[in-house]
Amino acid sequence: MKQLIFVIALCLIYAGSIVVKNQTYESKKGREVPTLFKYWSENGTPVETTQATKRDLVNYVIVTGASEGGNLVKAFVAPDFARQIKNGARTLVIQGKERIPGVVTYMTKEASLLSGLHELHVRFGDHQFQKESVRFGVQTGLVKDAIVVKREAISTRGGVAHTFVVRGEVVRKQEVKIVGSNGFFYAIGEGLNDSDSVVLSDKRYLKDNQKVLVVDGGVK
């Protein structure tokens, strides 16, 4: 008798759980659960942008040398860098808020047979270094009146340089021609205009004419 009562109780519990699940399903029926993809499709994919500006761009390479004290810094550079550097080229050290200008005074014409590197000397005017490592930029060229954007705004994925320009609520994929660069910026010869708002954030999943939601005020 006790076993029969136990079996009946289990059956009632099971039947009750089915009723509850059915009621839950009916209450959710016709109500769509919001997803991130649906939110983006309705409101736009969030993007961070930067503004293209027309100005001169200094091309430079970054070199690390050493000072034995005084204003002279010696460094050794690879042939690829050496071909870009000329005697008299301007240099710059940035230490916090301090900017220390210098000039290339000497570079060997031939690479060392032992190391394969060229020796480079830079003088930094009246500045006196301690015995320390010194990291500095060496000017290798100047692109005048170019459209300049942050390097992160340009993608070379697929072998073609391109970016996404914000036009109202959508982005348009735009191929560009790079005519100069340094460690932070590209100089663009074709494809962008002054004051264009271009996507700075991840562009891997953006498509031409895709709706976007700009989440910044135009990062400079």
Side-chain angles (χ1 to χ4, degrees):
M1 185 65 179
K2 290 182 179 181
Q3 290 181 345
L4 179 62
I5 294 174
F6 180 72
V7 171
I8 293 174
L10 286 178
C11 290
L12 290 174
I13 293 173
Y14 178 72
S17 67
I18 292 177
V19 171
V20 171
K21 287 181 179 180
N22 185 58
Q23 289 176 344
T24 302
Y25 173 78
E26 290 297 330
S27 66
K28 288 185 177 180
K29 198 173 181 179
R31 186 179 66 186
E32 187 174 355
V33 178
T35 64
L36 189 59
F37 178 80
K38 179 176 175 58
Y39 177 84
W40 285 359
S41 65
E42 292 178 352
N43 298 280
T45 301
V47 295
E48 183 182 3
T49 66
T50 186
Q51 191 176 71
T53 57
K54 186 175 182 179
R55 62 181 176 86
D56 297 344
L57 178 71
V58 176
N59 293 343
Y60 61 85
V61 294
I62 301 298
V63 177
T64 300
S67 171
E68 295 181 358
N71 71 346
L72 174 63
V73 174
K74 296 181 181 181
F76 295 89
V77 297
D80 286 348
F81 279 8
R83 282 191 287 269
Q84 302 176 56
I85 298 172
K86 298 179 180 180
N87 281 327
R90 295 179 180 180
T91 66
L92 185 67
V93 172
I94 299 178
Q95 293 183 341
K97 295 183 178 180
E98 185 180 13
R99 293 173 176 265
I100 309 168
V103 62
V104 174
T105 58
Y106 170 78
M107 186 172 64
T108 56
K109 293 182 179 180
E110 303 294 334
S112 167
L113 295 176
L114 184 63
S115 67
L117 303 176
H118 293 255
E119 185 174 348
L120 177 72
H121 293 184
V122 180
R123 294 277 181 181
F124 287 92
D126 296 331
H127 187 84
Q128 300 295 304
F129 291 100
Q130 303 297 320
K131 291 184 178 181
E132 57 185 305
S133 174
V134 180
R135 189 169 184 263
F136 55 93
V138 182
Q139 182 174 327
T140 59
L142 178 67
V143 182
K144 297 185 70 66
D145 295 327
I147 302 299
V148 178
V149 292
K150 290 185 175 182
R151 291 177 67 96
E152 299 94 321
I154 305 299
S155 173
T156 56
R157 188 173 286 107
V160 178
H162 64 276
T163 188
F164 286 87
V165 182
V166 178
R167 301 287 188 226
E169 293 186 343
V170 301
V171 289
R172 302 306 303 269
K173 186 176 181 178
Q174 178 64 54
E175 293 185 4
V176 297
K177 181 180 179 181
I178 298 173
V179 295
S181 68
N182 58 30
F184 302 98
F185 298 95
Y186 279 127
I188 305 300
E190 298 175 5
L192 290 179
N193 298 309
D194 186 28
S195 299
D196 274 348
S197 179
V198 296
V199 175
L200 186 65
S201 48
D202 192 359
K203 293 168 280 295
R204 287 176 295 176
Y205 305 110
L206 286 182
K207 297 179 180 179
D208 189 41
N209 211 39
Q210 183 171 335
K211 186 176 182 179
V212 296
L213 176 66
V214 177
V215 295
D216 63 275
V219 179
K220 296 284 182 77

